[in-house]
Amino acid sequence: MNAADLGLPVDVPSTALFTDQYELTMLQAALRGGTADRRSVFEVFTRRLPEGRRYGVVAGTGRVLDAVENFRFDAGVLGFLREHGIVDEPTLAWLADYRFGGDIWGYPEGEVYFPGSPILRVEGSFAECVLLETVILSILNHDSAIAAAASRMSSAAGGRRLIEMGARRTHELSAVASARAAYVGGFDSTSDLAAGFRYGIPTVGTSAHAFTLLHDTERDAFRAQVDSLGRGTTLLVDTYDVTEAVRTAVEVAGPELGAVRIDSGDLLLVAHRVRQQLDELGARDTRIIVTSDLDEYAIASLAAAPVDAYGVGTQLVTGSGHPTCSMVYKLVARAESADVRAPLVPVAKKSLGAKMSIGGRKWAARRLDADGAAEAEVVGTGPVPAGLADRQLLVELVKGGEVVAREPLEAARERHIAARAGLPMSATQLSRGEPVIPTEYV
């Protein structure tokens, strides 16, 4: 069942107003000036990675495809635009029939990217392509930032399980998108049920401190939880005294206790003490889960601790200090006229400082060294060199307005694991550094 069928807020009936007003005023002026039908090529890229990051992660592609399909101007939306005088009547008539009919190529979801990578290429008339700018950037900037943070955290976790639990730290709809992006980046589950419902991500959760405080004693709380959820449940042991709580937890659940969760204190020290105590009590298979405002650095610092899983919230859903990727959507080529046979002309903004862009419809390929590791991101506008023909990165996502590359979320997750493994080993270092491979323009 699709969430949209139930009218749930994790889906919206139309994405048409997830845009900036100037997209519509540009459309109106282009329609009046006779340039709206010129064939155009827009590209999404970033000029730099967030400071200190060595690679980026493409996430949100599947959501972009949904957004393009749902970009419709229904009667209510048109009424709003008319009532507020945002565009004129000829433009409203054009919008009433809007359906994106162009082509979209892009890096597949889960792939890594670097400065200048043409992450998404949107082709069609100027009018139909320019309207998609804001919603595409909104999705890709957010989801790719979360996925990049998740990727760093999953590298630091070294194979230990990761739980996304940041729903209460962000907007309710952002929480669903964040859980999806985190899953692409390497997380194993989420606490957010809307994300589980919408995207099929495994969900987990047991109890908070409030449940313990509700009861007259900690033993009563543990007994109630075990009676209800079984011995395999996870008991929260830091409400009062951790040592006493662990002892009580094993007495109540027995050595079959599934896990204990630690949410405060010196996690490295406490985890070692809890592991020793659990082993002495015969609960050798009881896992230890730690939470408490973790990020990739805190996770890395716990590498030597006897921890089985990490729960991450605030730092994950805020991109661990970098909540956006600074991606832009730029016109890089356009036809000389509205004639379908008119050739494309490269165009680019000329600017002082760091805001220059490179014109032309681009391809991208990743060159490998003799050992099979990536050594350069090669971006060009002319013929693809023979040696790179089978290393091209862009795939067809939309053809003639029809989505042709929808895939399970699991595919994007697996692709990211493979893409990250194909980078030089220094890519996963948490110390600040430059992009792990350079971008070369040919």
Side-chain angles (χ1 to χ4, degrees):
M1 179 182 295
N2 190 298
D5 296 335
L6 302 180
L8 297 178
V10 293
D11 270 334
V12 292
S14 170
T15 52
L17 292 185
F18 289 170
T19 191
D20 291 305
Q21 182 167 320
Y22 79 171
E23 315 290 9
L24 298 187
T25 54
M26 282 191 288
L27 168 65
Q28 176 176 311
L31 288 171
R32 182 170 296 184
T35 54
D37 290 331
R38 286 190 177 186
R39 188 159 56 101
S40 300
V41 180
F42 286 83
E43 288 176 352
V44 175
F45 62 93
T46 183
R47 297 183 175 94
R48 66 191 69 82
L49 297 178
E51 184 180 358
R53 295 287 174 87
R54 296 171 185 248
Y55 63 92
V57 181
V58 178
T61 308
R63 296 208 309 120
V64 165
L65 299 181
D66 292 341
V68 171
E69 282 189 330
N70 292 329
F71 207 92
R72 304 284 186 268
F73 292 83
D74 58 24
V77 170
L78 293 171
F80 166 79
L81 297 176
R82 178 178 290 108
E83 178 183 354
H84 293 273
I86 293 174
V87 291
D88 59 18
E89 286 299 325
T91 305
L92 289 172
W94 189 92
L95 291 173
D97 295 325
Y98 178 82
R99 299 290 187 275
F100 178 73
D103 303 327
I104 299 179
W105 290 69
Y107 280 38
E109 190 159 18
E111 183 58 85
V112 295
Y113 71 87
F114 300 92
S117 296
I119 296 164
L120 201 73
R121 189 174 72 219
V122 183
E123 305 183 33
S125 71
F126 175 84
E128 64 183 338
C129 294
V130 74
L131 292 181
L132 300 177
E133 175 183 5
T134 302
V135 70
I136 286 176
L137 289 179
S138 176
I139 293 170
L140 292 180
N141 268 313
H142 174 270
D143 289 23
S144 297
I146 307 305
S151 179
R152 285 163 59 86
M153 292 174 189
S154 67
S155 292
R160 295 171 176 176
R161 297 188 71 79
L162 288 162
I163 307 164
E164 185 281 315
M165 46 193 302
R168 64 190 61 192
R169 299 291 188 242
T170 188
H171 185 279
E172 65 271 20
L173 299 186
S174 296
V176 181
S178 295
R180 184 187 183 281
Y183 192 69
V184 170
F187 272 59
D188 300 285
S189 57
T190 179
S191 65
D192 190 84
L193 290 177
F197 176 77
R198 179 68 179 84
Y199 297 115
I201 302 169
T203 59
V204 297
T206 51
S207 68
H209 292 103
F211 186 76
T212 300
L213 296 170
L214 169 68
H215 293 80
D216 295 335
T217 68
E218 195 167 44
R219 182 179 295 273
D220 290 343
F222 289 171
R223 171 57 63 193
Q225 184 173 328
V226 170
D227 287 348
S228 174
L229 302 177
R231 296 177 186 273
T233 191
T234 299
L235 296 176
L236 182 58
V237 295
D238 72 328
T239 305
Y240 304 117
D241 179 84
V242 173
T243 301
E244 182 61 31
V246 171
R247 182 182 301 111
T248 302
V250 177
E251 288 176 356
V252 170
E256 299 84 10
L257 175 62
V260 295
R261 178 163 74 95
I262 306 166
D263 188 51
S264 59
D266 184 335
L267 297 178
L268 178 62
L269 176 62
V270 175
H272 277 288
R273 289 178 174 173
V274 168
R275 182 72 272 159
Q276 180 179 354
Q277 185 182 8
L278 287 169
D279 291 348
E280 291 173 350
L281 293 170
R284 295 183 177 275
D285 294 329
T286 299
R287 295 170 293 113
I288 297 175
I289 300 171
V290 297
T291 53
S292 186
D293 205 25
L294 300 176
D295 61 10
E296 60 265 49
Y297 302 102
I299 291 170
S301 74
L302 293 168
V307 172
D308 298 284
Y310 305 95
V312 189
T314 302
Q315 294 302 317
L316 177 61
V317 299
T318 56
S320 195
H322 297 288
T324 182
C325 302
S326 299
M327 294 178 185
V328 294
Y329 183 96
K330 295 297 182 182
L331 181 66
V332 297
R334 50 87 175 165
E336 294 178 330
S337 69
D339 189 323
V340 295
R341 297 165 297 181
L344 286 173
V345 178
V347 295
K349 174 183 178 180
K350 293 184 178 180
S351 173
L352 297 176
K355 282 198 170 186
M356 290 184 65
S357 57
I358 299 173
R361 182 180 186 272
K362 300 175 192 65
W363 53 264
R366 192 161 297 146
R367 191 173 69 238
L368 307 182
D369 64 18
D371 297 320
E375 67 174 9
E377 192 89 338
V378 185
V379 178
T381 57
V384 180
L388 294 175
D390 62 347
R391 300 296 307 167
Q392 294 189 70
L393 293 163
L394 279 78
V395 299
E396 193 170 31
L397 301 172
V398 177
K399 183 176 183 178
E402 298 295 326
V403 174
V404 295
R406 207 178 296 283
E407 63 181 5
L409 189 59
E410 196 68 36
R413 174 184 171 84
E414 293 173 359
R415 181 180 295 113
H416 176 62
I417 294 171
R420 189 175 65 191
L423 297 176
M425 291 183 64
S426 58
T428 57
Q429 292 178 348
L430 295 182
S431 57
R432 292 183 178 275
E434 296 301 313
V436 70
I437 61 173
T439 302
E440 299 177 0
Y441 295 95
V442 297

